[in-house]
Every structure is written in structure tokens, then in C-alpha cells.
Amino acid sequence: MRKFECRVVREDQYEVEFDEAVCNEEWMEEFRKSFYDFYTLEDHAEHIAQCRARHGRGIIEGYGVPLENGKAPYWADRRQINYAINIKVISEDNDVNVDII
């Protein structure tokens, strides 16, 4: 079997915004019961940004479908949209560099 080691380099930048009236300590406590041990909105923002960069647009487990640039994505089922979380896309790399090492 032939094998190739590949290094993929890309850079994306997002602002993740939370409605703190919804995403509060009580919300985080409920989230921790089923998902991850996140104790701050910063923890959540890091995870959401990582999911967006790795998997693109879509449902993020535990969060649903966040708003994109303040709007509900046209493709999303309205019942899955999380209006309390917004991903502001500052930049997403479309030109991904792949090096064979």
C-alpha cells in the first residue's frame, strides 16, 4: 500500500458571539451534563470555531445551527437554529495549501 504524509495549512478567523441572557451559567451547567466540561463562553467559542473550521457549515453537536453573520442560514431547518449564537465569518481560507512531505 502506498502512503503519503500530507501537511494541510489553512487559516480561518471568526468572531463567535453569545446572547448572555440565554448562554449563561445555567445553560453551561445543562450543557456539561451531556457534552463537554466547558466552564466559560471562551471555551465554547473555541470549540464552535474549531468545529466550523474542520467541518464547515452545519449542525454543531450540542449547539444546533448557529446564526451566520447575524442571519439564519438559508439551508437550515428552522427548528435547529440557535438564535443565541452567532458566527461572524471574518475570513475562511479557500486556497488550502497541501504539502506532501
Side-chain angles (χ1 to χ4, degrees):
M1 183 176 295
R2 202 162 168 192
K3 177 170 71 171
F4 299 92
E5 186 174 337
C6 304
R7 180 180 332 146
V8 179
V9 179
R10 64 178 285 155
E11 185 172 321
D12 300 332
Q13 188 174 354
Y14 309 105
E15 279 183 7
V16 181
E17 301 171 323
F18 299 93
D19 179 346
E20 292 179 281
V22 176
C23 301
N24 53 28
E25 185 53 47
E26 183 179 317
W27 172 81
M28 283 192 258
E29 188 175 319
E30 286 299 313
F31 185 91
R32 285 190 296 271
K33 288 178 183 178
S34 300
F35 299 102
Y36 305 103
D37 287 334
F38 296 160
Y39 287 88
T40 66
L41 290 177
E42 185 176 342
D43 291 337
H44 287 278
E46 181 179 342
H47 182 71
I48 290 167
Q50 184 179 119
C51 287
R52 172 66 184 237
R54 286 179 184 222
H55 308 294
R57 305 165 86 190
I59 298 170
I60 301 174
E61 185 178 33
Y63 303 98
V65 178
L67 298 174
E68 294 179 2
N69 299 315
K71 297 178 183 172
Y74 70 90
W75 50 265
D77 180 332
R78 299 289 179 221
R79 295 169 294 179
Q80 296 174 321
I81 296 172
N82 188 334
Y83 291 91
I85 300 173
N86 180 49
I87 297 177
K88 182 179 177 186
V89 178
I90 297 169
S91 67
E92 289 183 309
D93 255 350
N94 291 323
D95 299 321
V96 178
N97 297 320
V98 179
D99 296 322
I100 304 295
I101 320 175

